[in-house]
């Protein structure tokens, strides 16, 4: 009996998610797009995450340089440090850590905001007044996350390289121009393109999960916290899963 109930609950959840995705994509490409709301959500996502991404990007580059430099010095390969840090940040660390930070910052915010609207029956009021909540609430938030997270990832990459240069000058002396030239001499467009593409998927996953959890929150006040917490956990797991698939696909292409 318990197994049957678990299977039934799982199938119901799969159906709910599928229906939510169908409604999202159908409203994304329908007429009457909420462009002003999209711009508002893009600004809010960038504004909320800007300081945290800035500090995190600098620290990532600084720590990666401090930890890697002694090993490279032992092998007489200190000149490879800028290229190694740049490739590591651009290919993997920048997009993934940015996405995980945004999953905690943006995913929880979307889950809590929409969950509060569900609890206070604002979403129900929109449906009664013939206003499509998917088009007005969900689509702009998901698209804003999809567009902004790649930009935030590139910004984190840039600050990570700046932090790496600062770390390289703690126990040495290297000019900024030489460091940047060495860093980008080891990179190519095939390092940037897969990272940017998978960042779009990271943003879409975070937006969809945060909106789904908040939009389908329960009626009690405690459901707001549950929706926000569940959005963070689920979005973080899916970001890692998407990254695993993206790495495999990129490896096949190369």
């Amino acid at each position: 009996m318990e197994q049957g109930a678990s299977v039934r609950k799982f199938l119901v959840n799969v159906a709910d998610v599928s229906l939510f995705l169908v409604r999202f994509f159908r409203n994304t490409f329908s007429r009457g797009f909420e462009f002003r709301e999209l711009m508002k959500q893009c600004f809010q996502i960038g504004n909320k995450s800007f300081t945290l991404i800035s500090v995190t990007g600098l620290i990532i580059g600084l720590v990666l340089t401090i930890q890697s430099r002694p090993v490279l010095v032992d092998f007489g390969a200190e000149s490879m440090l800028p290229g190694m840090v740049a490739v590591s940040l651009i290919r993997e660390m920048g997009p993934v850590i940015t996405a995980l930070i945004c999953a905690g910052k943006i995913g929880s915010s979307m889950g809590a905001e929409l969950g509060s609207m569900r609890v206070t029956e604002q979403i129900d009021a929109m449906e009664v007044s013939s206003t499509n909540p998917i088009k007005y609430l969900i689509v702009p938030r998901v698209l804003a996350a999809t567009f902004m997270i790649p930009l935030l990832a590139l910004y984190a990459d840039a600050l990570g390289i700046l932090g790496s240069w600062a770390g390289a000058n703690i126990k040495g002396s290297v000019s900024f121009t030489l460091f940047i030239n060495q860093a980008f001499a080891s990179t190519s467009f095939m390092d940037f393109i897969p990272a940017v593409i998978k960042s779009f998927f990271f943003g879409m996953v975070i937006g969809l999960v945060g909106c789904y959890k908040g939009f389908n929150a329960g009626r009690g006040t405690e459901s707001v916290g549950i929706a926000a917490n569940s959005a963070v956990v689920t979005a973080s797991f899916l970001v890692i899963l998407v990254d695993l698939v993206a790495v495999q696909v990129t490896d096949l292409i190369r």
Side-chain angles (χ1 to χ4, degrees):
M1 293 294 292
E2 293 182 359
Q3 291 182 347
S6 300
V7 171
R8 188 161 49 250
K9 183 178 179 181
F10 173 77
L11 293 176
V12 169
N13 289 334
V14 171
D16 286 342
V17 172
S18 301
L19 180 61
F20 182 81
L21 291 175
V22 169
R23 294 179 66 187
F24 166 75
F25 286 109
R26 186 174 60 193
N27 284 278
T28 300
F29 300 103
S30 64
R31 299 178 62 182
F33 184 76
E34 296 289 342
F35 184 78
R36 185 174 297 179
E37 183 66 17
L38 172 63
M39 292 295 100
K40 175 184 175 183
Q41 293 300 323
C42 286
F43 173 77
Q44 289 185 353
I45 289 174
N47 187 46
K48 287 180 180 178
S49 309
F50 184 80
T51 303
L52 188 58
I53 295 296
S54 301
V55 175
T56 304
L58 284 169
I59 292 175
I60 290 172
L62 183 64
V63 171
L64 186 60
T65 301
I66 293 174
Q67 292 290 338
S68 303
R69 187 175 181 277
V71 179
L72 294 177
V73 169
D74 291 339
F75 285 95
E78 186 178 0
S79 61
M80 298 178 62
L81 178 62
M84 185 208 70
V85 172
V87 171
S88 300
L89 286 171
I90 293 169
R91 286 187 181 180
E92 190 65 23
M93 296 189 68
V96 172
I97 293 180
T98 299
L100 291 175
I101 291 174
C102 290
K105 187 74 173 177
I106 299 169
S108 61
S109 176
M110 290 181 179
E113 185 178 6
L114 293 177
S116 299
M117 295 180 71
R118 174 65 73 182
V119 170
T120 57
E121 300 182 349
Q122 295 180 51
I123 295 178
D124 296 334
M126 293 178 67
E127 292 174 342
V128 170
S129 61
S130 299
T131 302
N132 190 341
I134 298 292
K135 178 177 290 187
Y136 185 77
L137 298 177
I138 307 301
V139 173
R141 284 171 169 80
V142 175
L143 293 182
T146 303
F147 295 146
M148 290 302 298
I149 287 179
L151 297 178
L152 291 172
L154 291 174
Y155 175 67
D157 292 340
L159 286 183
I161 293 174
L162 180 62
S164 178
W165 171 71
N169 280 276
I170 292 178
K171 292 186 178 181
S173 179
V174 57
S175 68
F176 181 74
T177 302
L178 177 61
F179 189 91
I180 294 298
N181 289 336
Q182 290 179 339
F184 285 99
S186 302
T187 60
S188 65
F189 278 110
M190 283 307 297
D191 295 317
F192 283 95
I193 293 174
V196 172
I197 291 175
K198 71 180 180 182
S199 295
F200 277 103
F201 285 99
F202 291 161
M204 181 172 287
V205 164
I206 293 169
L208 285 172
V209 171
C211 290
Y212 172 79
K213 294 295 184 179
F215 191 79
N216 293 279
R219 296 294 180 178
T221 54
E222 71 278 359
S223 62
V224 177
I226 294 174
N229 180 69
S230 179
V232 174
V233 174
T234 306
S236 299
F237 172 74
L238 290 178
V239 163
I240 300 299
L241 192 62
V242 169
D243 183 57
L244 175 62
V245 175
V247 168
Q248 297 296 325
V249 173
T250 304
D251 185 60
L252 290 175
I253 295 174
R254 289 199 178 99

